[in-house]
Amino acid sequence: MAEQLKGKRILILATNGFEQSELEVPRDRLKAAGAEVNVVSPESGEIKGWDKKDWGRAVKVDKPLSAAKADDYDAIVLPGGQINPDLLRVNKDALALIKAFYEAGKTVAAVCHAPWLLVETGIAKGRRMTSYHSIRTDVINAGARWEDSEVVTDEGIVTSRNPGDLEAFSAKIIEEVREGRHQRHAA
């Protein structure tokens, strides 16, 4: 498993209030598969997670959002939690970065509430997706075909519902990154 993503670089975009497991589990699985993983944030130093019902542990920020470029990475991972994607979906630089990954045909992975970011960028329209159940209507209203499955993939767009899906989510990210760039068709 350690060589599956050797030479690949993955960006995890997050800010304060990310769901703890939704950043840490994919980060750890992708590293175990051999990828270099960078946590990128509009914040510097550290960002603090949300662990179920209270603030969680801090995670080191590897690179500021202002210095991150899609050209330097093979995929972007968007952890959920309610706070994290809600803050990022009003950040024009975060949205531009996500859209740059999408437009380059690179893997874009979002879990839980993070599909809000795919809604905000217009990526959701016409795609098969899943999300946390409370934002199902938002995803449908954005033009996506919502499914209640642990992981849904549509032309390199990987989505999952909640922390219980993280093993399947992480495995699918590894598979999609190994496949390489995705040819995307208009919705």
Side-chain angles (χ1 to χ4, degrees):
M1 171 132 167
E3 299 298 309
Q4 288 181 310
L5 296 182
K6 185 175 180 170
K8 301 295 185 181
R9 299 185 75 219
I10 314 291
L11 184 153
I12 297 178
L13 178 61
T15 192
N16 290 303
F18 62 87
E19 182 65 40
Q20 198 79 45
S21 62
E22 293 174 1
L23 186 149
E24 292 177 345
V25 172
R27 177 198 64 198
D28 296 349
R29 298 302 177 272
L30 294 165
K31 282 183 176 183
E36 177 187 335
V37 181
N38 290 160
V39 174
V40 170
S41 179
E43 316 303 322
S44 59
E46 293 181 333
I47 52 176
K48 196 158 195 171
W50 187 262
D51 199 359
K52 298 174 189 78
K53 297 182 189 253
D54 203 353
W55 290 101
R57 296 172 298 284
V59 169
K60 179 183 171 288
V61 173
D62 298 305
K63 184 180 275 195
L65 174 59
S66 60
K69 294 189 229 47
D71 290 346
D72 296 337
Y73 295 92
D74 298 289
I76 188 168
V77 177
L78 306 168
Q82 290 176 304
I83 301 167
N84 174 61
D86 199 38
L87 292 173
L88 291 174
R89 71 181 173 160
V90 295
N91 182 312
K92 65 178 177 43
D93 295 330
L95 298 175
L97 182 63
I98 295 164
K99 195 137 188 167
F101 274 89
Y102 173 77
E103 289 171 350
K106 296 179 179 187
T107 301
V108 176
V111 62
C112 193
H113 286 76
W116 265 339
L117 297 164
L118 306 184
V119 166
E120 199 64 39
T121 56
I123 293 169
K125 186 173 184 174
R127 301 279 167 231
R128 291 177 44 248
M129 291 175 55
T130 195
S131 67
Y132 194 69
H133 64 88
S134 69
I135 68 165
R136 173 186 176 183
T137 300
D138 298 341
V139 172
I140 291 169
N141 286 343
R145 295 183 310 277
W146 193 88
E147 298 177 20
D148 186 14
S149 301
E150 68 179 357
V151 65
V152 175
T153 307
D154 187 334
E155 297 180 339
I157 310 300
V158 180
T159 53
S160 283
R161 302 170 300 192
N162 57 55
D165 299 335
L166 288 172
E167 292 302 329
F169 180 66
S170 300
K172 186 53 83 170
I173 294 167
I174 292 167
E175 179 184 324
E176 293 297 309
V177 170
R178 288 186 72 202
E179 284 180 10
R181 291 193 185 214
H182 299 272
Q183 192 67 31
R184 301 223 164 90
H185 301 77

